Amino acid sequence: MSRTEIQGGASTGAPDPAAIVEREGGLHQDLSPRQVAMIGLGSTIGTGLFLGSAISVKLAGPAVILSFLGGSLIALTVMWALAEMTAEHPAAGSFGLHAEIYLHPWAGFAVRYAYWLCLVVVVGSEVVAAAIYCKLWFPGIPSWIWVAAFSAAIVYVNTISVKSFGRFEYWFAMIKVVTIAVFLVLGTALLLGIGFPRIGAVNYTGQGGFFPNGTTGVLLGITMAVFSFLGIEIVAATAGETAEPRVAVPKALRRTLFFLVLFYLGGLTLVVGLVPWYQIGLGESPFVRVFQTAGIPAAEHVMNFVVLTAALSSAMCNLYFTSRLLFSLARGGYAPAALGRLSKRGMPVPAVLASSAGMVAAMILSHYYRGNGRPEDSAFVFMIGLAFFGGPFIWIMILITHLAFRRAYARSGKPVLRFAPPGPWSSLFGLAALLGVLVSTWWVPGFRVTLRAGPPWLAFITVCYWVWSRANRNNSAVGNSERVSTSAPTLPNRFRGPE
């Protein structure tokens, strides 16, 4: 199969897929399949479920259940696309490399930089959320102190070794998985009156009914639901550090999405059934609020510890991924070569340190940005609103890349491991839904910054790519003329991107 056939008509001057994947070599493949699955859960079960879900409840009321069902269907289309492409091209650059192979070098450049900024901000939002949780126990300690302490610990875990990181994250994620399972059992008992006073279904239909804000509230609730599922794509990035990635990564993607749907839908169904939806505020976790309402002694402190570890676990996973994106960019020649270097233990330490900028921003925001007295003006909502553009944009690009991927392999006749249904319809459905989600952020309180900041950032990335591409062509022309005049051979630059 020719290079043009693989790339679906891309320029024959671009490197083939094997060359693109190989340039990211050097990472240690020490992650086990179970660790990969837990990293997927660790990256997604964080503030989206335990704190950010309160935003969706405010928008949709009890009908938030339908909002998260819609979000899970959108996430399913992305999971199918990622599983197919990762099975063919496992690498740390993941969907960034896929976009470079099947769309255009600009797509690979824009996808990785857009998501890098998104995750840098998300990591910051996670440590801000962790500081919010600590106020239950230490209300007098300034938030920025917690942000600084947690940031130092998260950076350390991401610089020791990928084997230690995987082991640490496995048990960290296990805490919240077990706790959510216990919460589902306990919440069901509270709702049905098994060992507790029966609450029943009064909170589903009272206080404005199941649709207190109409279908508009449900549709806007999908916006936050999609944000909650963001992170499942991090599983694909572990392919460069996983034994047998073609088997382990697709399996981990399926398992991660299954448990996410179970935890989100089950958890939120119980939350809005146990606590009147209008009593759930943005300054606290709705899960902690459930235990406070139930009057269970010390349970709120246990749950607060769990949601704290959940936020820190998510921050660790997101820093892991954002450092791999920056490492991938450096190895492709799109970022300074120093950021593509590895420690003796195979860890991209310079990329980790550079990607910690979001936590520094979080510390500053938590100290100075206190809003206008309204919960939706808090630093947490501001940061996830700024980061939200990157998530839907990346999912949109993944689905567009998947359409090109399917078309290329259909022309070549080469068999491909299929996860999505035949035809382009699942990816087209996901594309339409994500475009609607992105536009709807304009009507979500505190999220207008998504459309105000996202497109200018994408335009800036495009200008940067144009400057880089032009400089790269000029350097190539100079190098070619020198080779002609001196007839001296030159060594290939392992950090150089496609010409």
Side-chain angles (χ1 to χ4, degrees):
M1 179 167 48
S2 71
R3 182 166 47 206
T4 301
E5 287 176 322
I6 294 176
Q7 293 181 291
S11 169
T12 56
D16 61 29
I20 295 178
V21 172
E22 186 179 358
R23 74 189 182 202
E24 296 188 3
L27 295 168
H28 293 186
Q29 294 181 315
D30 291 332
L31 292 176
S32 67
R34 65 175 187 171
Q35 289 174 336
V36 171
M38 280 300 182
I39 288 173
L41 290 174
S43 64
T44 47
I45 302 177
T47 56
L49 175 60
F50 293 117
L51 185 62
S53 56
I55 300 175
S56 288
V57 173
K58 284 291 185 182
L59 290 169
V64 69
I65 300 168
L66 300 180
S67 297
F68 273 78
L69 180 60
S72 65
L73 292 177
I74 297 172
L76 179 62
T77 65
V78 177
M79 185 276 289
W80 282 334
L82 271 176
E84 288 189 5
M85 295 188 293
T86 303
E88 292 298 316
H89 309 297
S94 185
F95 47 80
L97 290 189
H98 304 154
E100 183 176 338
I101 294 170
Y102 292 100
L103 297 179
H104 189 273
W106 169 85
F109 182 92
V111 162
R112 278 172 284 186
Y113 265 118
Y115 207 42
W116 178 81
L117 176 69
C118 170
L119 286 186
V120 163
V121 178
V122 166
V123 170
S125 72
E126 296 284 2
V127 292
V128 167
I132 291 175
Y133 299 141
C134 287
K135 285 188 176 296
L136 179 66
W137 299 316
F138 308 100
I141 298 180
S143 296
W144 71 267
I145 293 180
W146 292 115
V147 172
F150 291 143
S151 299
I154 290 168
V155 169
Y156 173 74
V157 172
N158 269 277
T159 54
I160 41 178
S161 71
V162 72
K163 188 174 183 178
S164 298
F165 167 82
R167 187 182 301 115
F168 193 91
E169 178 55 32
Y170 177 85
W171 292 110
F172 231 27
M174 183 64 74
I175 292 174
K176 50 190 175 185
V177 169
V178 171
T179 303
I180 294 172
V182 172
F183 173 83
L184 293 177
V185 174
L186 180 59
T188 302
L190 286 167
L191 201 65
L192 301 179
I194 303 174
F196 298 94
R198 184 174 179 273
I199 296 176
V202 62
N203 289 323
Y204 293 117
T205 56
Q207 309 301 327
F210 190 71
F211 296 92
N213 297 321
T215 56
T216 300
V218 175
L219 294 175
L220 291 179
I222 293 177
T223 300
M224 197 62 209
V226 168
F227 172 79
S228 298
F229 284 110
L230 291 176
I232 188 174
E233 64 279 355
I234 291 179
V235 176
T238 64
E241 296 170 276
T242 305
E244 300 183 6
R246 288 176 172 83
V247 176
V249 173
K251 183 178 179 180
L253 280 166
R254 290 195 300 266
R255 184 181 301 173
T256 299
L257 184 60
F258 170 79
F259 281 106
L260 283 178
V261 173
L262 174 65
F263 291 159
Y264 275 104
L265 288 180
L268 286 176
T269 297
L270 291 173
V271 164
V272 296
L274 296 171
V275 181
W277 68 272
Y278 63 90
Q279 292 183 9
I280 298 174
L282 298 181
E284 62 183 352
S285 166
F287 282 69
V288 175
R289 175 67 173 165
V290 164
F291 287 111
Q292 289 176 331
T293 302
I296 301 175
E300 64 182 277
H301 295 283
V302 174
M303 195 63 192
N304 199 60
F305 169 76
V306 172
V307 296
L308 172 63
T309 59
L312 296 177
S313 169
S314 182
M316 283 195 303
C317 287
N318 284 316
L319 183 59
Y320 165 87
F321 187 30
T322 193
S323 63
R324 269 58 182 180
L325 284 176
L326 197 55
F327 166 79
S328 175
L329 285 162
R331 284 296 179 94
Y334 303 116
L339 297 175
R341 309 218 179 260
L342 298 171
S343 68
K344 293 181 179 180
R345 296 182 177 181
M347 298 294 281
V349 176
V352 170
L353 296 177
S355 299
S356 302
M359 292 185 286
V360 177
M363 186 168 60
I364 296 172
L365 279 172
S366 64
H367 184 64
Y368 292 104
Y369 193 90
R370 303 183 186 278
N372 299 318
R374 299 179 301 172
E376 61 266 25
D377 286 332
S378 66
F380 172 74
V381 176
F382 175 81
M383 293 185 73
I384 58 177
L386 180 63
F388 192 80
F389 177 83
F393 171 71
I394 296 310
W395 279 18
I396 287 170
M397 293 299 292
I398 288 173
L399 294 174
I400 293 175
T401 304
H402 182 244
L403 292 171
F405 167 84
R406 278 279 190 94
R407 187 169 59 249
Y409 275 87
R411 280 202 295 262
S412 69
K414 180 182 178 181
V416 63
L417 187 62
R418 290 187 180 273
F419 293 90
W425 306 113
S426 64
S427 291
L428 289 175
F429 164 77
L431 276 174
L434 286 168
L435 288 172
V437 164
L438 199 56
V439 172
S440 71
T441 58
W442 187 257
W443 290 276
V444 178
F447 277 66
R448 285 193 175 186
V449 67
T450 299
L451 295 179
R452 288 173 176 164
W457 170 248
L458 188 57
F460 173 73
I461 290 176
T462 301
V463 171
C464 290
Y465 171 78
W466 177 79
V467 172
W468 170 87
S469 180
R470 184 168 183 175
N472 196 48
R473 284 197 300 269
N474 291 337
N475 291 337
S476 299
V478 172
N480 289 335
S481 65
E482 289 177 351
R483 284 193 292 269
V484 170
S485 61
T486 62
S487 299
T490 58
L491 294 175
N493 184 351
R494 60 183 280 189
F495 297 116
R496 188 172 184 177
E499 295 180 358

